[in-house]
Amino acid sequence: MNPVIGLDVSKGESHAQAFADRGTPYGKIFRFKHDLEGLASFLRFAQDLESFTGKRATVVLEATGHYHSSVVQFLEEHQYLHIVINPLLSHQAKKSNLRKVKTDAADAYQLGEMYYKEELEPYKKRGQYLMNLRYLTRQHESLTDMYVQAKLQFQAVLDQVFPEYHGVFGDLYSKVSLRFLALYPTSQAVLAMSEKDVMANIQRLAGHVNPSCWSQKSAQKLMAAAERNPFKETAFPSQLISLELLINLLLQYQDHLAKLDKSIEALAEELMEFDLIQSIPGIGTKIAATILAEIGEIDRFDHAKKLIAFAGIDPSVFSSGKFTASRNSITKRGSRRLRTALYQAVRCGLRSSRNKKLRAYYDKKRAEGKLFKVAVIACANKLIHWIYAILTKKEPFRLD
């Protein structure tokens, strides 16, 4: 016998369908919650199947974001072999049925049958460092998106309160700039002080004890901006409240992102591959950490083309009868985060010709008449081959 349990995982609960062997369902659909009692009942269910077949069952489940994490951890603790499949595979399997049925019970049954029909690869447990790195890099991406949205809202309010404040400090979002604006949000508040007082406040916020040329120039720019401002004070006090809230939010985001950057770099430095990937010109610490976290163990891929497909930058193919499409877009079916990191790495490598080898390849594609985006995707494809060779051979990148 070859027992298997198909698990359809949803938020907080799962449906399980067991098979003693191919075409031989064992018992009825079993539903359990992802709490201690529910997981214990699932363990008893799996042990009953093991007693009946004389063999420990393999568990097949679909990747469902973070919902399946608790179930996977439970299976690992009790040493159950499990297979986490791509939702695309299960979706294609469902389309092969004549009847269109979508229920949790049907999905669990379908996953169990897939085990006997498809050659599914057992789930390989990621290392602790890679799992933590993946979580931190994704958290960083999510927090960065929120930070960007807060910056856009901040700029919209600032344009209605103190539009001339732009350009006073070299970086509008520096801590000195934001903290000064929180204290003196209108041109009227700035003009109520002397240039000496403005300079002293800037020095205090910057932590400078002695007068500096930078603080003096900033004070002069600030006074001039306050004079140019089209309105001395806002007619809507609510805008000042929004400005203060957004400034505090921006400062908090900056602190959180700085902590994440340190944690990501410290964790990534424990991996030998981190330095190897950075040997490619154009790939810095953030991009290297993201690439490593998204790829996971490189031995999951036995060829660079599979890694390219995982990144979703392989060209789609469309051919029917005598027609064969000559222009095909990339599939975009793989890891979006890996795809984005590769695009950033290519752009960084091409900028100022940091990566001469990549630049030469890009110029060659452009000379062939390829569009900019097509040439960049070709460079990302080439970059994947280099990364795959580096990680499999454990050797740094060489430009010669």
Side-chain angles (χ1 to χ4, degrees):
M1 288 188 175
N2 189 12
V4 66
I5 299 175
L7 275 187
D8 181 68
V9 182
S10 55
K11 185 177 181 180
E13 65 176 19
S14 294
H15 288 74
Q17 173 63 62
F19 289 81
D21 208 342
R22 184 186 183 100
T24 311
Y26 176 81
K28 297 180 180 180
I29 290 288
F30 176 71
R31 176 183 173 186
F32 64 95
K33 292 186 177 181
H34 299 166
D35 53 21
L36 289 174
E37 185 179 350
L39 291 171
S41 63
F42 170 71
L43 181 60
R44 291 193 294 272
F45 175 77
Q47 288 172 343
D48 289 342
L49 176 62
E50 184 177 352
S51 298
F52 178 76
T53 61
K55 186 178 178 182
R56 176 162 285 203
T58 300
V59 180
V60 180
L61 62 154
E62 193 178 79
T64 53
H66 64 278
Y67 294 152
H68 69 281
S69 298
S70 57
V71 179
V72 168
Q73 186 172 345
F74 180 81
L75 293 172
E76 288 176 351
E77 287 176 356
H78 292 84
Q79 299 180 348
Y80 273 89
L81 180 66
H82 53 286
I83 300 172
V84 182
I85 65 171
N86 191 310
L88 283 171
L89 292 176
S90 58
H91 179 68
Q92 291 297 327
K94 292 170 192 173
K95 288 172 66 176
S96 64
N97 295 329
L98 290 176
R99 294 186 62 204
K100 188 176 182 180
V101 181
K102 174 65 182 81
T103 64
D104 294 334
D107 290 346
Y109 195 97
Q110 181 72 44
L111 288 169
E113 286 192 323
M114 278 188 66
Y115 174 75
Y116 300 107
K117 294 179 181 178
E118 306 283 345
E119 291 184 3
L120 302 177
E121 184 179 347
Y123 181 77
K124 184 167 184 178
K125 183 180 178 182
R126 291 171 181 260
Q128 181 183 1
Y129 283 107
L130 288 173
M131 281 296 291
N132 286 328
L133 189 61
R134 184 184 182 191
Y135 178 80
L136 289 177
T137 53
R138 291 188 175 187
Q139 187 68 28
H140 191 284
E141 180 193 19
S142 177
L143 202 60
T144 301
D145 290 341
M146 291 188 283
Y147 179 54
V148 170
Q149 290 300 316
K151 287 169 74 173
L152 294 174
Q153 294 176 27
F154 166 77
Q155 287 187 19
V157 178
L158 184 62
D159 288 342
Q160 301 172 67
V161 177
F162 201 161
E164 292 296 327
Y165 193 80
H166 291 272
V168 171
F169 294 91
D171 181 8
L172 176 62
Y173 300 100
S174 68
K175 292 187 182 298
V176 175
S177 173
L178 292 175
R179 286 171 179 167
F180 187 93
L181 189 61
L183 295 172
Y184 309 101
T186 64
S187 56
Q188 184 184 41
V190 175
L191 293 172
M193 297 183 290
S194 65
E195 183 180 315
K196 186 177 180 181
D197 291 335
V198 173
M199 180 178 171
N201 280 316
I202 292 175
Q203 288 177 344
R204 178 174 56 83
L205 292 171
H208 297 161
V209 179
N210 300 318
S212 65
C213 183
W214 171 81
S215 58
Q216 185 178 6
K217 287 182 179 179
S218 298
Q220 291 171 353
K221 286 182 181 180
L222 191 54
M223 297 295 287
E227 291 285 356
R228 294 194 309 268
N229 206 50
F231 28 82
K232 302 308 176 188
E233 59 180 334
T234 178
F236 304 99
S238 58
Q239 293 177 337
L240 296 179
I241 296 173
S242 297
L243 195 65
E244 183 181 2
L245 290 172
L246 287 167
I247 288 172
N248 290 332
L249 197 60
L250 289 171
L251 289 170
Q252 288 177 18
Y253 280 144
Q254 289 177 2
D255 290 340
H256 293 323
L257 287 171
K259 289 179 182 177
L260 276 175
D261 284 334
K262 289 181 180 179
S263 298
I264 289 171
E265 190 168 352
L267 199 61
E269 285 177 350
E270 298 290 332
L271 301 169
M272 177 187 65
E273 294 85 356
F274 185 59
D275 290 330
L276 290 176
I277 289 183
Q278 288 185 84
S279 66
I280 301 177
I283 296 184
T285 55
K286 289 183 181 178
I287 296 177
T290 302
I291 290 174
L292 267 181
E294 293 302 320
I295 290 177
E297 291 89 356
I298 193 62
D299 55 6
R300 296 191 301 151
F301 308 95
D302 56 13
H303 197 279
K305 288 184 177 180
K306 290 189 177 181
L307 184 55
I308 290 170
F310 178 73
I313 58 174
D314 54 324
S316 58
V317 179
F318 185 83
S319 177
S320 180
K322 296 183 179 180
F323 173 78
T324 300
S326 57
R327 297 183 64 181
N328 296 315
S329 60
I330 58 176
T331 60
K332 292 187 178 181
R333 285 194 168 186
S335 170
R336 174 183 59 82
R337 293 178 177 87
L338 177 57
R339 191 161 56 249
T340 301
L342 290 169
Y343 178 79
Q344 292 172 344
V346 170
R347 294 303 303 271
C348 290
L350 294 178
R351 191 179 298 126
S352 302
S353 298
R354 292 182 184 178
N355 191 331
K356 296 180 180 179
K357 204 170 183 180
L358 193 66
R359 183 73 202 192
Y361 186 73
Y362 170 81
D363 291 338
K364 175 187 174 184
K365 290 299 175 182
R366 292 290 279 168
E368 292 173 358
K370 304 294 184 184
L371 298 175
F372 168 75
K373 286 187 177 180
V374 177
V376 168
I377 292 299
C379 288
N381 199 303
K382 177 68 72 174
L383 192 61
I384 281 272
H385 279 88
W386 291 341
I387 291 172
Y388 183 81
I390 286 172
L391 295 179
T392 51
K393 295 179 181 179
K394 309 295 183 186
E395 296 177 359
F397 179 76
R398 292 179 298 182
L399 279 171
D400 54 348

